[in-house]
Amino acid sequence: MTAILGKKLGMSQVFTEEGDRVPVTVIEAGPCTVTQVKTVETDGYKAIQIGFGEIDEKKLTRAEAGHLKKAGAGGKRHLAEVRGESEPQVGEQITVEAFEPGQKVKVSGVSKGKGFAGVIKRHGFAGGPGSHGAHFHRAPGSVGASATPSRVFKGLRLPGQMGNRKATQLGSSVFAVDPERNLLLLRGSIPGSSNSIVYIQTT
């Protein structure tokens, strides 16, 4: 299993040799440094920790700086954990060369925040009649009984913050790899806004 951290640069399009237009998301992925290797004996499970993005060590806490110094990784802005069996050892680099065109991947990121939204936009409710005389247009409708239980149950689909939460997309695939510029081109769109950090893992 291979995983890497990257920065979503935005979307573009690529034309195949047959003349088909393919929408792609361009990601500046890696190089990521392995900062820790976890084992069953020491941590109870197998995993590796990878670091991405340079940052001045003065901006890190003593604990963070000491942890990264053991791996000789320098200051890293983002850390992520890759569970399961992994070959890389502490200090090794993971680059886009670990991925191949056509490979299936899952991508995790923080979705675009859309602010406070009503139930029609947020949950796809149908709403009421839009004509004159109707007193019910875009409201959520009934949300519970009156006397019993005299409260609104948790978990109902109500208005509130839309987006800006972790989202994982399955079924994406690698369209092309550019090792010279550390670029990974994924077919289609992925969660997150431009310049946001994404986590890519083979499935």
Side-chain angles (χ1 to χ4, degrees):
M1 185 179 293
T2 307
I4 198 168
L5 283 170
K7 182 169 70 172
K8 177 180 174 180
L9 299 181
M11 289 199 69
S12 184
Q13 58 186 9
V14 178
F15 289 90
T16 63
E17 294 179 357
E18 294 77 24
D20 297 324
R21 182 181 66 86
V22 180
V24 295
T25 302
V26 183
I27 300 168
E28 182 186 343
C32 294
T33 307
V34 178
T35 56
Q36 185 181 5
V37 175
K38 297 189 175 184
T39 62
V40 176
E41 294 76 23
T42 57
D43 303 279
Y45 63 98
K46 292 183 178 180
I48 62 170
Q49 186 187 74
I50 57 177
F52 171 71
E54 301 300 323
I55 188 175
D56 192 340
E57 291 187 28
K58 294 177 183 177
K59 296 182 179 180
L60 298 173
T61 65
R62 277 197 204 172
E64 290 169 338
H67 173 70
L68 293 170
K69 194 172 183 180
K70 284 183 183 177
K76 294 296 178 185
R77 189 179 293 274
H78 306 283
L79 296 176
E81 194 172 273
V82 186
R83 290 225 178 188
E85 288 282 355
S86 298
E87 296 177 4
Q89 299 300 313
V90 173
E92 291 186 21
Q93 298 271 335
I94 299 175
T95 65
V96 293
E97 294 180 13
F99 295 85
E100 300 174 358
Q103 204 169 25
K104 290 288 185 183
V105 294
K106 67 177 181 179
V107 185
S108 298
V110 178
S111 61
K112 287 183 180 180
K114 295 177 172 60
F116 189 95
V119 292
I120 291 180
K121 181 177 179 180
R122 191 182 185 204
H123 300 297
F125 281 21
S131 58
H132 292 288
H135 296 280
F136 171 60
H137 298 294
R138 300 179 68 89
S142 175
V143 292
S146 55
T148 304
S150 300
R151 64 187 176 88
V152 177
F153 284 117
K154 289 182 179 180
L156 294 185
R157 293 180 296 168
L158 296 173
Q161 166 70 34
M162 184 177 180
N164 194 31
R165 59 191 301 174
K166 184 178 179 183
T168 299
Q169 181 170 302
L170 305 174
S172 297
S173 62
V174 178
F175 182 80
V177 178
D178 187 349
E180 293 180 4
R181 295 186 290 174
N182 292 321
L183 296 181
L184 203 59
L185 272 62
L186 300 185
R187 187 183 290 264
S189 61
I190 62 169
S193 58
S194 297
N195 295 319
S196 63
I197 298 300
V198 292
Y199 174 81
I200 305 154
Q201 186 176 15
T202 56
T203 56

